[in-house]
Amino acid sequence: MAKGSKEKIVLGSGDVYIMDYADAMPTVEELCVEANRLARIKGGASLEYTQETYEEKDDMGKVSKIITTEEEAILKMGLITWNGTVLQKLIDRCQVTEAAGKRVTKIGGAGNAQGKYYAICFHQKDEQDGDMWVLIKGRNTAGATLTFTKDEGALVEPEFKALPHDEDGTLIELIEEIDAA
């Protein structure tokens, strides 16, 4: 089967990469490097696209038109490895300092606001059927819950809400590896 075939079965989790969003979406080659890896994922990732529509039609039901009035995209995942610098990318009102062998993460407070948006890439690897990349510009909108238990890793579950990142208002770039023509 050719890479990128419509018969492809997408299996497996992947890696998540993040960097400050500048004026344009970076390429996967720029973004998906080890220095930009956010954390290790547990439980996979999900991409959710929803839309609200409005239908206009005549009284006799002979003509109608459906218009998309709103849309939203959210990229969710569970992060099993994290530290204060990861949290700083997940929580807007968060500042991190490091000194004397300690990292101090301050969460909350208007004075700690960063106002940043990020380029985020989820890279799902598949050597046989072809890799897939999901690119968005966004920010975590789920906050963070840190649960410490004796028998499970403390998972952080961000939800990155996608924002338009080009002149067309694109929310998601889904890139698939295909066989060369």
Side-chain angles (χ1 to χ4, degrees):
M1 174 178 18
K3 286 187 177 181
S5 163
K6 68 179 181 178
E7 301 300 319
K8 173 183 177 175
I9 297 172
V10 179
L11 291 174
S13 186
D15 293 309
V16 63
Y17 301 91
I18 191 168
M19 64 189 288
D20 289 358
Y21 184 86
D23 294 330
M25 184 62 72
T27 65
V28 293
E29 292 79 16
E30 294 167 327
L31 181 51
C32 297
V33 297
E34 185 60 27
N36 294 331
R37 187 173 51 78
L38 179 62
R40 298 287 182 193
I41 294 176
K42 179 178 180 179
S46 69
L47 176 65
E48 193 176 295
Y49 173 83
T50 57
Q51 62 183 10
E52 290 183 25
T53 60
Y54 168 74
E55 182 178 7
E56 187 64 63
K57 59 184 170 181
D58 73 318
D59 291 344
M60 305 307 286
K62 297 198 180 208
V63 294
S64 66
K65 185 176 192 176
I66 298 173
I67 302 162
T68 299
T69 57
E70 290 188 35
E71 60 185 352
E72 182 177 76
I74 307 247
L75 179 62
K76 302 176 186 179
M77 67 207 62
L79 304 179
I80 190 69
T81 61
W82 54 270
N83 61 21
T85 59
V86 170
L87 293 177
Q88 188 174 24
K89 291 177 174 74
L90 303 180
I91 301 169
D92 179 57
R93 291 181 171 191
C94 182
Q95 294 295 327
V96 175
T97 56
E98 295 179 358
K102 295 201 173 152
R103 176 182 298 124
V104 177
T105 305
K106 294 183 177 183
I107 299 172
N112 290 323
Q114 303 171 75
K116 290 184 179 182
Y117 293 101
Y118 296 96
I120 302 119
C121 181
F122 173 75
H123 179 193
Q124 190 268 335
K125 297 175 184 174
D126 186 332
E127 289 184 25
Q128 180 178 344
D129 295 328
D131 289 9
M132 187 177 302
W133 298 264
V134 174
L135 284 165
I136 66 168
K137 169 191 172 184
R139 181 188 287 174
N140 175 37
T141 57
T145 300
L146 308 176
T147 305
F148 301 94
T149 64
K150 69 177 186 170
D151 56 355
E152 291 184 33
L155 211 58
V156 178
E157 298 176 299
E159 295 182 8
F160 292 101
K161 182 173 181 176
L163 300 169
H165 65 264
D166 62 17
E167 64 277 353
D168 294 324
T170 303
L171 297 179
I172 305 163
E173 284 186 46
L174 179 65
I175 301 168
E176 298 175 84
E177 182 179 19
I178 59 173
D179 286 334

